[in-house]
C-alpha cells in the first residue's frame, strides 16, 4: 500500500519538485517499504526519533528535519542531517553553524517564513528575513548554507486563503532571489494542499499521511 501511494504521488509531481516523505511516528518497516520503492528523502519532526532511525536504517537516506527545532537539540543531528527546514531565528542559525563546524560539515537550511494566520505557526516575517540576509553576522557563518525558504499555510478548508498564503511566500522568495542566488528551494505544501502549492511555485513538498496513512500518536 505504501509503495502504491508513493508511486501514485510521484507520478503527479513535476520533475522540478522534490518529495520529502514525512515519516514521523512511523515504524522502520514503513520507511523501508518506501525505501524499497525508491524513496530516499525522509522528513522527521522529532530529533530523537530521527537519530534512532538514522542509526538503524540505510546510510544513503537523506534526513530532513521538518519540525520546530530547539537550539539544544541541534548537536544530536549535526553529524548527519541533510536539510533543516524550520530555521526561524538567527540564534538557531548560529547554533547550527557552530555544531556543523564541530562536525566538519556545512549544513543546508531553509528559513521558515510565517505566512499562516494562526498564531501557533513559527517563522520569520519579511522584515526579519531581510535583516538576517543583509547582516554582516550572517555572512560570517561559513558552515551553513541557506538554500531556500519554507512555509506552512493555515490549516483551513478555505482554498482561497491557502492560495493567498502560498502566493505571499512565493513573492517573498522571488524578491530575495536576485541578491541570494543560492536560494533555490521553496518548500511548501503537504498532503492536503501540495497540488495547490506546486501551482503557486513550490519546489519541495512534505507528504506524510497520503503515503503512510494516518499517524498513530
Amino acid at each position: 500500500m505504501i509503495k502504491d501511494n508513493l508511486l501514485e504521488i510521484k507520478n503527479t509531481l513535476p520533475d522540478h519538485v522534490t518529495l520529502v516523505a514525512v515519516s514521523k511516528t512511523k515504524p522502520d518497516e514503513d520507511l523501508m517499504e518506501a525505501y524499497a520503492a525508491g524513496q530516499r528523502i525522509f522528513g522527521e519532526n522529532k530529533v530523537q526519533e530521527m537519530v534512532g532511525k538514522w542509526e538503524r536504517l540505510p546510510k544513503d537516506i537523506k534526513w530532513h528535519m521538518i519540525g520546530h527545532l530547539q537550539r539544544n537539540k541541534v548537536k544530536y543531528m549535526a553529524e548527519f542531517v541533510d536539510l533543516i527546514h524550520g530555521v526561524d531565528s538567527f540564534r538557531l542559525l548560529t547554533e547550527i553553524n557552530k555544531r556543523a563546524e564541530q562536525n566538519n560539515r556545512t549544513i543546508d537550511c531553509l528559513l521558515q517564513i510565517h505566512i499562516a494566520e494562526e498564531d501557533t505557526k513559527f517563522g520569520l516575517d519579511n522584515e526579519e528575513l531581510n535583516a538576517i540576509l543583509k547582516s554582516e553576522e550572517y555572512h560570517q557563518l561559513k558552515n551553513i548554507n541557506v538554500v531556500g525558504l519554507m512555509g506552512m499555510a493555515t490549516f483551513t478548508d478555505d482554498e482561497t486563503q491557502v492560495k493567498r498564503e502560498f502566493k505571499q511566500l512565493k513573492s517573498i522568495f522571488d524578491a530575495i532571489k536576485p541578491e541570494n542566488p543560492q536560494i533555490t528551494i521553496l518548500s511548501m505544501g503537504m498532503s492536503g494542499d501540495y497540488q495547490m502549492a506546486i501551482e503557486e511555485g513550490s519546489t519541495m513538498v512534505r507528504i506524510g499521511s497520503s503515503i503512510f496513512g494516518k499517524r498513530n500518536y
Side-chain angles (χ1 to χ4, degrees), residues 24 32 43 51 94 98 110 135 139 141 152 162 166 169 174:
K24 58 184 184 181
M32 285 310 296
V51 170
T94 309
K98 178 176 118 182
L110 303 179
S135 74
H139 290 284
L141 301 177
M152 293 163 80
V162 173
F166 286 153
L169 184 53
D174 288 343

Side-chain angles (χ1 to χ4, degrees), residues 13 23 27 46 51 61 83-84 88-89 94 96 114-115 133 143 145 161 167 175 179 190 193 205 216:
L13 296 182
S23 48
K46 291 203 164 51
V51 170
I61 288 176
L83 181 64
I84 299 175
D88 58 0
S89 71
T94 309
I96 296 167
H114 188 285
I115 52 170
L133 294 176
N143 291 79
N145 274 331
Q161 183 180 346
K167 270 191 196 320
E179 284 180 30
M190 302 191 290
D193 56 20
V205 292
N216 332 306

Side-chain angles (χ1 to χ4, degrees), residues 172-191:
I172 293 170
F173 177 81
D174 288 343
I176 62 168
K177 221 170 155 359
E179 284 180 30
N180 302 275
Q182 81 287 1
I183 289 184
T184 56
I185 296 173
L186 184 54
S187 172
M188 58 185 193
M190 302 191 290
S191 284

Side-chain angles (χ1 to χ4, degrees), residues 8-145:
E8 196 176 319
I9 288 165
K10 279 191 165 175
N11 286 338
T12 67
L13 296 182
D15 290 343
H16 69 279
V17 176
T18 302
L19 170 63
V20 180
V22 179
S23 48
K24 58 184 184 181
T25 79
K26 293 298 176 183
D28 293 356
E29 304 82 75
D30 287 10
L31 278 77
M32 285 310 296
E33 196 178 324
Y35 180 91
Q39 184 63 20
R40 290 294 179 273
I41 302 174
F42 291 89
E44 293 283 333
N45 72 336
K46 291 203 164 51
V47 175
Q48 222 171 338
E49 188 180 343
M50 185 168 78
V51 170
K53 287 174 176 174
W54 169 70
E55 286 169 349
R56 296 186 301 267
L57 296 175
K59 289 297 176 265
D60 61 336
I61 288 176
K62 292 181 172 180
W63 295 100
H64 287 202
M65 179 64 197
I66 60 169
H68 178 62
L69 179 58
Q70 292 166 305
R71 292 200 313 281
N72 62 355
K73 298 279 174 67
V74 175
K75 57 180 178 274
Y76 300 113
M77 60 175 190
E79 184 188 338
F80 68 89
V81 68
D82 196 69
L83 181 64
I84 299 175
H85 283 234
V87 181
D88 58 0
S89 71
F90 185 70
R91 286 174 74 194
L92 177 55
L93 209 51
T94 309
E95 178 67 19
I96 296 167
N97 185 74
K98 178 176 118 182
R99 299 299 180 181
E101 191 178 356
Q102 289 170 355
N103 285 276
N104 295 315
R105 295 189 67 212
T106 304
I107 295 177
D108 289 346
C109 301
L110 303 179
L111 295 177
Q112 181 170 358
I113 309 302
H114 188 285
I115 52 170
E117 285 180 11
E118 299 154 291
D119 289 336
T120 54
K121 297 273 196 298
F122 298 95
L124 304 159
D125 62 29
N126 202 10
E127 219 168 285
E128 293 166 325
L129 170 69
N130 282 297
I132 288 175
L133 294 176
K134 288 182 165 68
S135 74
E136 189 53 48
E137 295 85 358
Y138 165 71
H139 290 284
Q140 285 167 3
L141 301 177
K142 299 300 179 212
N143 291 79
I144 51 114
N145 274 331

Side-chain angles (χ1 to χ4, degrees), residues 12-14 16-17 153-154 156-168 170 186 188-205 207:
T12 67
L13 296 182
H16 69 279
V17 176
T154 304
T156 172
D157 291 332
D158 182 351
E159 289 192 0
T160 313
Q161 183 180 346
V162 173
K163 207 180 196 103
R164 185 172 69 241
E165 290 167 357
F166 286 153
K167 270 191 196 320
Q168 182 194 343
K170 177 67 161 74
L186 184 54
M188 58 185 193
M190 302 191 290
S191 284
D193 56 20
Y194 75 91
Q195 276 144 333
M196 198 188 304
I198 292 169
E199 281 167 25
E200 297 306 328
S202 174
T203 67
M204 181 176 277
V205 292
I207 300 179

